[in-house]
């Protein structure tokens, strides 16, 4: 009995779902660079929001500090005004005691001269009115001073709390920034390690021996290994040594080595020779054709740069060297080879 077409399609879909769900399935194989980029974007967004929050708290605190300074200025002015009014107030009070006819307005009913009594009463009334005005002013100044002092004290307390919170936010922000940096650096290191593992997995070490059996510039691609730099390749043993050299260089300078040329096929050698006859190697004799030479850039192409000096000091640890002829005839600081001078 034939199996219905719908049942076959259902089975296919189920198998695909299981495969995609497996750790090695397509759904699980995400681009590690894309994942790193997403993590960096998320970290950047988180720090940006936290920074904006911290900056707002800074502005609020600065505004509150400005208000506190203005309040303290007003308080100082109120205290100065209050101090100035105390002297005339005391003088008026003293005059009221020294004024003749201190009996006040009732002295008009006494046995003295009526005119004198009236004058005395007017003087005392004038003094009393002046004193009352000054007392009222002093009272208002005193209340204003108390309000300003209370506001200043409240602002000082609040600002002290805000300053503490701000410092806590700054410390938390620094800590989180350091944590995120460490996490992203860890992801990058893992990514670099994964890249090296992938390159090594693609590079068959036994290919080096097979590559040596072929004429210069005629080595099949299957016996060459790709470099981290797109489009570049070398003989297996040279490539594996370069992976390690490149990793050390990246730890020092923060980026991959800059490569302008690596393995050069015979047609490519002929093209270069046609451009520079007498300077480029005769086609079929170049170490580029053996898959064990590189032309470098990114600073290495100029002698005495930090990059060139670093390579001179460290390249031999990884099996690479700058040949003696490249120092003078012709002068090529960018040209580096794998192996030894005797193999050149």
């Amino acid at each position: 009995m034939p199996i219905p077409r719908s049942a076959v399609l259902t089975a296919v879909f189920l198998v695909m779902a299981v495969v995609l769900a497996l750790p090695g399935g397509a759904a699980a194989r995400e681009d590690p660079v894309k994942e790193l980029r997403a993590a960096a974007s998320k970290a950047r967004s988180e720090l940006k929001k936290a920074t904006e929050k911290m900056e707002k708290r800074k502005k609020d605190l600065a505004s509150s500090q400005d208000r506190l300074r203005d309040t303290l200025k007003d308080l100082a002015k109120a205290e100065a005004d209050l101090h100035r009014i105390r002297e005339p107030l005391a003088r008026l009070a003293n005059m009221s005691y020294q004024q003749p006819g201190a009996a006040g307005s009732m002295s008009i009913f006494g046995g003295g001269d009526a005119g004198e009594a009236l004058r005395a009463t007017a003087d005392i009334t004038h003094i009393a009115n002046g004193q009352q005005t000054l007392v009222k002013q002093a009272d208002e100044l005193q209340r204003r001073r108390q309000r300003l002092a209370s506001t200043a004290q409240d602002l000082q307390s609040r600002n002290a709390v805000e300053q503490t919170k701000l410092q806590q936010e700054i410390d938390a922000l620094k800590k989180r920034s350091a944590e995120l940096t460490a996490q992203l650096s860890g992801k990058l290191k893992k990514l670099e390690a994964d890249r090296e593992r992938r390159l090594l997995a693609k590079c068959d070490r036994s290919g080096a021996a097979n590559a040596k059996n072929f004429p210069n510039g005629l080595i099949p691609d299957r016996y060459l290994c790709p470099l981290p730099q797109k489009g570049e390749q070398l003989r297996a043993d040279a490539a594996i040594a370069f992976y390690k050299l490149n990793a050390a260089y990246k730890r020092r300078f923060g980026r991959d080595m800059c490569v302008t040329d690596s393995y050069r096929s015979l047609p490519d050698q002929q093209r270069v020779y046609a451009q520079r006859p007498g300077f480029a190697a005769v086609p079929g004799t170049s170490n580029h054709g053996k898959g064990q030479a590189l032309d470098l850039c990114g600073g290495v192409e100029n002698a005495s740069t930090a990059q060139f000096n670093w390579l001179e000091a460290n390249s031999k640890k990884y099996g690479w060297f700058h040949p003696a002829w490249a120092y003078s005839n012709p002068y090529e600081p960018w040209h580096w080879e794998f192996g030894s001078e005797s193999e050149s």
Side-chain angles (χ1 to χ4, degrees):
M1 179 178 178
I3 300 173
R5 187 167 180 271
S6 60
V8 173
L9 289 174
T10 302
V12 170
F13 285 136
L14 285 172
V15 170
M16 287 179 65
V18 170
V19 169
L20 291 174
L22 290 172
R29 291 197 300 269
E30 291 186 10
D31 180 0
V33 176
K34 185 178 178 182
E35 184 183 339
L36 177 64
R37 207 163 40 236
S41 178
K42 183 179 178 183
R44 187 167 59 249
S45 177
E46 179 185 333
L47 289 179
K48 184 180 178 182
K49 287 179 182 177
T51 302
E52 286 172 352
K53 182 182 175 185
M54 183 266 292
E55 290 294 340
K56 184 180 182 303
R57 190 179 288 279
K58 254 187 187 178
K59 287 179 182 177
D60 291 344
L61 179 59
S63 177
S64 187
Q65 289 287 66
D66 289 341
R67 189 182 166 201
L68 173 60
R69 278 192 291 272
D70 292 341
T71 301
L72 290 173
K73 285 179 184 177
D74 290 343
L75 177 59
K77 185 176 182 302
E79 287 181 338
D81 291 343
L82 187 59
H83 180 73
R84 279 195 297 273
I85 209 171
R86 282 180 182 142
E87 187 178 345
L89 188 61
R91 194 163 53 245
L92 276 173
N94 189 45
M95 285 174 63
S96 68
Y97 286 108
Q98 295 176 1
Q99 195 62 234
S105 59
M106 293 303 293
S107 63
I108 193 171
F109 300 109
D113 181 80
E116 287 292 330
L118 284 171
R119 278 195 298 274
T121 300
D123 290 343
I124 289 172
T125 301
H126 175 72
I127 291 170
N129 288 338
Q131 188 174 14
Q132 187 177 2
T133 301
L134 285 170
V135 168
K136 186 179 179 181
Q137 289 178 0
D139 192 40
E140 287 176 356
L141 282 171
Q142 181 65 21
R143 282 198 297 272
R144 182 164 182 265
R145 177 187 171 280
Q146 287 174 348
R147 283 196 305 272
L148 288 168
S150 176
T151 301
Q153 186 175 9
D154 182 56
L155 283 169
Q156 283 174 329
S157 299
R158 196 185 312 165
N159 288 359
V161 171
E162 288 301 307
Q163 184 69 49
T164 301
K165 287 182 180 178
L166 175 61
Q167 190 57 52
Q168 288 173 345
E169 282 192 13
I170 290 172
D171 292 342
L173 191 58
K174 287 179 180 177
K175 182 180 178 184
R176 186 57 181 154
S177 178
E179 288 173 351
L180 289 170
T181 300
Q183 288 173 15
L184 291 171
S185 297
K187 284 179 181 290
L188 179 60
K189 285 180 182 177
K190 185 177 182 301
L191 180 61
E192 289 299 313
D194 288 344
R195 182 180 71 165
E196 285 187 37
R197 280 196 291 272
R198 287 197 302 274
L199 287 168
L200 284 169
K202 291 179 183 177
C203 189
D204 182 5
R205 293 171 186 267
S206 64
N210 291 322
K212 292 176 183 179
N213 294 326
F214 287 86
N216 187 303
L218 296 172
I219 302 173
D221 282 349
R222 66 179 179 274
Y223 297 129
L224 298 169
C225 296
L227 302 186
Q229 293 76 4
K230 188 176 179 180
E232 304 297 340
Q233 52 187 357
L234 288 172
R235 200 173 70 193
D237 50 351
I240 291 170
F242 178 76
Y243 300 157
K244 296 174 183 177
L245 175 64
N246 184 69
Y249 181 93
K250 190 168 186 177
R251 285 194 296 272
R252 170 62 181 83
F253 295 102
R255 59 183 180 276
D256 284 323
M257 296 177 75
C258 178
V259 179
T260 60
D261 206 1
S262 50
Y263 169 72
R264 194 181 293 161
S265 67
L266 191 59
D268 281 339
Q269 291 182 50
Q270 290 170 344
R271 176 181 53 79
V272 173
Y273 185 77
Q275 292 171 349
R276 301 177 64 205
F279 291 95
V282 173
T285 65
S286 171
N287 271 355
H288 284 283
K290 296 178 181 178
Q292 62 182 85
L294 288 170
D295 286 347
L296 302 176
C297 45
V300 181
E301 72 276 19
N302 298 311
S304 300
T305 60
Q307 292 82 0
F308 182 88
N309 291 339
W310 184 90
L311 270 178
E312 272 197 319
N314 295 276
S315 60
K316 288 182 180 177
K317 299 176 189 174
Y318 304 96
W320 287 84
F321 68 98
H322 187 56
W325 63 260
Y327 282 98
S328 58
N329 186 31
Y331 179 57
E332 294 185 2
W334 55 84
H335 183 89
W336 296 74
E337 297 181 359
F338 172 76
S340 63
E341 291 275 2
S342 60
E343 293 181 71
S344 299

